[in-house]
Each structure stands twice: as structure tokens, then as C-alpha cells.
């Protein structure tokens, strides 16, 4: 299984991997990726997408099978979120970690890659002071500073504004080397992907598909339908033959020989049963109950906007009422996340939240979650009079069950952390939701369900999102464009 480009640069031969014998992730995965290919890795949460990246970089090794990377091929990787150890570094110090030895002309290289990712920030700024979108661009710039032969991108569109995503697509199309991307952003993937590696969390297998993203999604759905029909036919044959074998085996002569023949055919049918590939499961529709609260919820009378490193205050007069959705827009770095953090903590002098109003806050980097807790504990701490059984039921509605609930939040995938945040809202029963990039890491199949649930929420919502397709599904009542406020 490979795509039609140049010579093979990555080959997996019968690779199996699991963190323990009872938790297999990949089973005898075989595929190859050729030079200059643009490939998407697709699969459910926990299917092993990030694991494949770690095996390509050599951070993980297979339990069985072989992985071959073309001799001398350099690898660059941009992770989903900025690692905490870099947050206190300056931008220049962050780029210095890309090299094993001190590089004397690094300032020239930094300037070049920042231009490539369309990011303009002084190199003495601290990484942790940058917005989520600026950090996303910084991660990409760090990955490409040495122009690697293999570029691995994990959810690269998270936190990027529309301009940033357009710039990323242009870069990827022009990058004349191998690119492998993990992303749940279907529209983004469809613009540059020419092949998909599909990982199945149930069968532990990997399949190669040629074509754009939507073509592959349709092809997998058709394949599932064919396999289900074949299995249904085989099951019927198996049941019929079992009945005849039981009936004929107690008779003598030809009937007993016929029973033996039918038994052989029955065993052949059982061997031909297919492990049916399963599509990503979609979360069920859910309701976020609203805290009983009378009157308006908050008043916004001023807002702080960042112009470079300088804060600019603008006067407003906006009442936040139940049943309304307020969207705040603006490019990366203008201060949207900083503003939402201040609003959620009720420390913003320009906004007053009515006393007693319960606030649910979706942080784009999930830093509001305690990664040392278990998901069950995180749900239990916000639950209003919900017992353990109700917590388990609500968690299962968001595809969180079994061992996932008892392991640490830090061990969850980013997509699972996002779903955990929505499960917390259901149990918390807030009256005001503050959502900072609420589609980050979420599988696109879940987004229509989430949008409908937000539309049905009886409280108020303040949302920042660069996902225009998602926002188009929301019943937005008003919009504050921070960039226009400056003009």
C-alpha cells in the first residue's frame, strides 16, 4: 500500500504495538509513504495516530515488525500544543532547541521561518505570552526551520485564524517534501491530501486509500456497508448449516457424510467472516441544563485589545442576557484568549458578572483541567447533586467510559479532553458559557451535535472560534469584531 510519488521514504512492515499485551494499538500494520507525498492519518480517538508519529521519530519502538526510514532523512514534528517546558523561554531560546549545537546564524533562520508562517513577533518575547494561534504558528516554524525531509503535523489548524489556515495550506502545497498530517479539520484536509492512512481502533489495522479526504470518507462508508452485507449473508448460512449439521449428524449413511460436508462449509464461512471496519462513533445529542437565574447575567462596558505589545481599551455598552450568543472575532494575537480568561475569572474591570451566576469555561488548551485527576473526579467535582451512576451515564454519552474514566486526564487524547469539557457542562448546569475555540481537537462528526446543543442552551454564550463552518451552525445574535473596534 503506497502512494504514487517518488521512492519510498517510510515503510512499516507488519508492525504491531501496544503499551501492554492487553492493550494492543496496532496489529501487523504494513504501509509505505513515498517522497513528496501529502498524507493524512485518519482514525478514531485511541486508534494510534500519535503513536505512529512517535514510531516514525523513534520515540517509540514496535513490539513486532520493522520500521524503515530512508537513511539520512531528517524529521520535523509540530505537536498539537506548546509543551509546558517552553512556555518560559523566549522565542529565540525556543528555536535554539531545534539544534543539537549552537547555531551562529540562527537569527537569519528564525526571520526566514517566521515569514514562512506569517508570524511577526520580537524574538525576545516569552512563548507563554503569545496567543494560542501565535504558538501554533511558532510550532510549525520550529518544525520547518531545518527544512526536514519528513514533516509531521499534529492538528496544525488548531487556534489558527482564517488567514493562518490559508497560509498553512499554501505552504503545504508548495513544500516539496513529505508531509504527514493528523487533523480532524475535514475541509482543511480536503484541500491538499492525496492519500489517507486509515487506522481502525477496533480491528487495530491500517489501510491505505488514494484520493481526497471526502472521497475516502465515502469509500470507507461504502466498504462498511459491503462488509456488513457479506457478514449478514455468512451469518445466515452459518445458522442454516448448523441446524442441518445437527439434524443430519444423527442419521446414518449419506446423511452423515452430508453433515460432515456441511460442517466443513460452516467452518469456511466462519473463517470468511470479516472484522467489519467501524466508522467514528458520533456522540449522542445532549442537553446542557441551565442554572436557575433571573435577570441579565453580565454587562460589558469596556474591552482591551492588543496592538503589538500595547493594550488599547475601547468603551462598549453590551448587556449579556440569557438565550443569546455573542461571538468575538479578530486575528491571532489581538487578545481574545486573554480577554476570555479575565471574563471567566471575573477579574476584568470592564465586565461585571452578576453574583451567583455559574460560569462554564472551555479553554482552548484545556489548562482548566487538572491533568492529575481522573476524568471521573473532574466530572464529580462540578456535578450538582449527581450520583456516580449519573456521572457514568453522562460520560458514556460523550464516548468516555471504561478505563478512560479511571486513568489520568493527562493520558487522554486531546479530543477526549474536549468531550470531557462538554460532559462537565452537562453536570455543572451553568448559566453562562465562555467558549474559547470550542472545536479544537473535536472530530468533525461531533460538531453538528455540539452546535445544536449550544443553540438549545437556555443561558448565554460568549464564543471565540475561527471555525466559520461551525459558527455558521450557531444562532449567533451579535458579533464584536475587535479589529474593527480599532479603526
Amino acid at each position: 500500500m503506497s502512494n504514487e510519488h517518488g521512492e519510498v521514504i517510510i515503510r512499516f512492515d507488519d508492525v504491531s504495538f501496544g503499551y501492554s499485551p492487553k492493550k494492543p494499538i496496532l496489529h501487523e500494520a504494513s504501509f509505505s509513504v513515498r517522497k513528496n507525498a501529502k498524507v493524512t492519518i485518519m482514525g478514531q480517538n485511541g486508534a494510534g495516530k500519535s503513536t505512529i508519529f512517535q514510531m516514525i521519530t523513534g520515540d517509540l519502538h514496535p513490539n513486532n515488525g520493522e520500521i524503515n526510514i530512508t537513511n539520512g532523512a531528517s524529521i520535523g514534528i509540530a505537536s498539537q500544543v506548546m509543551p509546558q517546558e517552553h512556555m518560559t523561554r523566549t522565542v529565540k531560546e525556543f528555536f535554539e532547541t531545534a539544534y543539537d549545537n549552537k547555531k551562529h546564524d540562527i537569527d537569519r533562520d528564525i526571520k526566514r521561518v517566521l515569514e514562512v508562517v506569517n508570524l511577526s513577533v520580537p524574538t525576545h518575547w516569552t512563548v507563554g505570552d503569545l496567543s494560542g494561534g501565535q504558538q501554533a504558528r511558532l510550532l510549525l516554524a520550529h518544525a520547518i526551520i531545518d527544512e526536514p525531509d519528513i514533516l509531521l503535523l499534529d492538528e496544525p489548524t488548531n487556534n489558527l485564524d482564517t488567514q493562518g489556515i490559508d497560509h498553512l495550506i499554501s505552504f503545504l502545497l508548495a513544500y516539496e517534501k513529505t508531509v504527514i498530517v493528523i487533523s480532524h479539520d475535514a475541509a482543511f484536509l480536503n484541500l491538499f491530501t492525496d492519500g489517507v492512512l486509515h487506522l481502525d481502533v477496533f480491528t487495530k489495522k491500517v489501510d491505505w486509500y488514494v484520493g481526497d479526504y471526502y472521497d475516502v470518507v465515502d469509500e470507507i462508508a461504502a466498504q462498511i456497508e459491503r462488509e456488513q452485507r457479506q457478514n449478514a449473508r455468512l451469518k445466515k448460512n452459518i445458522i442454516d448449516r448448523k441446524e442441518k449439521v445437527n439434524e443430519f449428524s444423527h442419521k446414518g449413511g449419506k446423511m452423515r457424510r452430508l453433515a460432515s460436508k456441511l460442517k466443513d462449509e460452516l467452518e469456511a464461512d466462519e473463517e470468511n467472516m470479516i472484522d467489519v471496519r467501524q466508522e467514528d462513533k458520533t456522540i449522542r445529542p445532549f442537553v446542557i441544563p441551565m442554572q436557575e437565574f433571573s435577570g441579565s447575567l453580565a454587562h460589558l462596558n469596556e474591552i482591551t485589545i492588543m496592538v503589538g505589545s500595547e493594550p488599547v481599551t475601547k468603551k462598549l455598552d453590551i448587556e449579556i442576557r440569557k438565550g443569546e450568543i455573542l461571538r468575538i472575532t479578530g486575528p491571532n494575537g489581538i487578545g481574545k484568549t486573554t480577554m476570555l480568561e479575565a471574563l471567566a475569572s471575573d477579574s476584568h474591570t470592564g465586565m461585571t458578572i452578576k453574583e451567583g451566576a455559574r460560569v462554564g469555561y472551555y479553554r482552548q488548551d484545556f489548562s482548566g483541567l487538572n491533568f492529575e485527576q481522573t476524568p471521573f473526579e473532574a466530572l464529580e467535582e462540578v456535578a450538582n447533586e449527581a450520583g456516580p451512576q449519573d456521572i457514568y451515564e453522562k460520560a458514556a454519552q460523550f464516548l468516555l467510559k471504561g478505563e478512560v474514566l479511571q486513568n489520568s486526564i493527562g493520558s487522554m487524547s486531546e479530543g477526549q479532553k474536549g468531550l470531557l469539557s462538554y460532559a462537565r457542562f452537562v453536570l455543572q448546569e451553568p448559566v453562562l458559557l465562555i467558549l474559547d475555540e470550542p472545536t479544537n481537537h473535536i472530530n468533525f462528526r461531533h460538531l453538528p451535535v455540539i452546535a445544536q446543543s449550544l443553540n438549545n442552551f437556555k443561558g448565554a454564550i460568549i464564543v471565540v472560534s475561527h471555525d466559520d463552518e461551525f459558527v455558521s451552525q450557531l444562532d449567533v445574535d451579535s458579533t464584536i469584531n475587535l479589529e474593527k473596534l480599532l479603526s
Side-chain angles (χ1 to χ4, degrees), residues 132-196:
Q134 290 172 322
Q135 289 179 14
R137 297 182 197 216
L138 203 62
L139 285 166
L140 176 59
H142 186 277
I144 66 174
I145 195 168
D146 208 24
E147 299 182 350
D149 300 307
I150 301 169
L151 180 59
L152 309 177
L153 304 179
D154 198 349
E155 300 287 358
T157 62
N158 279 349
N159 303 323
L160 287 182
D161 56 24
T162 302
Q163 185 184 37
I165 292 173
D166 290 344
H167 206 82
L168 175 60
I169 292 168
S170 299
F171 165 76
L172 293 176
L173 290 172
Y175 194 67
E176 296 181 349
K177 296 186 179 183
T178 304
V179 181
I180 306 178
V181 179
I182 297 170
S183 177
H184 288 113
D185 188 336
F188 160 72
L189 293 172
N190 206 54
L191 289 172
F192 77 91
T193 297
D194 51 30
V196 172

Side-chain angles (χ1 to χ4, degrees), residues 448-469:
V449 179
I450 291 171
Q452 189 58 53
S453 297
L454 294 178
N455 284 331
N456 292 336
F457 179 57
K458 303 300 184 185
I461 299 174
I462 302 174
V463 59
V464 166
S465 177
H466 291 117
D467 189 338
D468 290 335
E469 184 178 351

Side-chain angles (χ1 to χ4, degrees), residues 387-399:
Q389 186 61 36
D390 194 41
I391 292 173
Y392 280 115
E393 288 176 1
K394 291 294 188 293
Q397 192 170 0
F398 292 88
L399 308 181

Side-chain angles (χ1 to χ4, degrees), residues 168-426:
L168 175 60
I169 292 168
S170 299
F171 165 76
L172 293 176
L173 290 172
Y175 194 67
E176 296 181 349
K177 296 186 179 183
T178 304
V179 181
I180 306 178
V181 179
I182 297 170
S183 177
H184 288 113
D185 188 336
F188 160 72
L189 293 172
N190 206 54
L191 289 172
F192 77 91
T193 297
D194 51 30
V196 172
L197 284 171
H198 187 280
L199 283 61
D200 191 282
V201 72
F202 302 99
T203 65
K204 316 300 179 188
K205 295 179 180 177
V206 178
D207 285 323
W208 172 266
Y209 295 89
V210 176
D212 66 32
Y213 190 80
Y214 289 130
D215 286 342
V216 171
V217 170
D218 291 341
E219 187 176 345
I220 291 173
Q223 179 182 343
I224 290 170
E225 189 176 345
R226 289 194 301 271
E227 291 174 349
Q228 287 173 334
R229 283 201 305 267
Q230 179 177 337
N231 275 1
R233 179 176 56 79
L234 290 172
K235 282 180 182 178
K236 185 176 184 304
N237 289 345
I238 289 168
I239 292 170
D240 291 344
R241 288 190 171 106
K242 277 184 177 179
E243 290 176 352
K244 289 183 172 62
V245 166
N246 290 334
E247 179 183 349
F248 296 158
S249 60
H250 299 297
K251 300 181 180 179
K254 293 182 179 180
M255 300 301 280
R256 182 171 293 177
R257 287 195 296 274
L258 177 58
S260 178
K261 179 184 176 183
L262 289 172
K263 188 174 182 181
D264 291 340
E265 292 175 354
L266 187 154
E267 290 174 353
D269 282 345
E270 288 177 334
E271 289 178 1
N272 288 329
M273 289 286 288
I274 299 170
D275 287 332
V276 177
R277 179 177 299 288
Q278 298 187 43
E279 291 182 284
D280 294 354
K281 290 183 178 179
T282 303
I283 59 174
R284 301 194 307 273
F286 62 96
V287 174
I288 302 174
M290 183 192 74
Q291 172 195 10
E292 289 296 327
F293 202 88
S294 59
S296 65
L297 303 177
H299 188 266
L300 186 61
N301 52 57
E302 69 177 31
I303 203 163
T304 302
I305 304 169
M306 298 303 296
V307 180
S309 60
E310 296 298 321
V312 175
T313 300
K314 291 290 181 179
K315 295 295 182 181
L316 295 171
D317 185 13
I318 297 177
E319 200 75 21
I320 310 296
R321 297 182 176 86
K322 289 179 290 185
E324 295 182 346
I325 298 178
L326 169 66
R327 184 188 186 190
I328 299 174
T329 66
N332 292 144
I334 203 167
K336 301 184 299 296
T337 293
T338 301
M339 182 190 67
L340 292 188
E341 287 176 346
L343 300 182
S345 63
D346 204 13
S347 63
H348 192 286
T349 56
M351 178 173 175
T352 305
I353 298 177
K354 294 292 180 66
E355 186 177 352
R358 197 176 300 138
V359 179
Y361 182 21
Y362 189 107
R363 291 175 177 263
Q364 60 174 239
D365 60 357
F366 307 123
S367 56
L369 298 173
N370 179 352
F371 286 12
E372 301 301 316
Q373 281 185 321
T374 67
F376 182 86
E377 290 168 341
L379 293 170
E380 188 176 41
E381 74 176 4
V382 298
N384 280 314
E385 301 179 359
Q389 186 61 36
D390 194 41
I391 292 173
Y392 280 115
E393 288 176 1
K394 291 294 188 293
Q397 192 170 0
F398 292 88
L399 308 181
L400 304 173
K401 49 190 176 181
E403 288 185 357
V404 171
L405 286 177
Q406 302 306 326
N407 294 330
S408 70
I409 292 174
S411 69
M412 300 174 81
S413 71
E414 298 303 300
Q416 288 173 323
K417 291 171 188 170
L419 294 179
L420 174 63
S421 298
Y422 285 106
R424 278 165 57 94
F425 293 155
V426 171

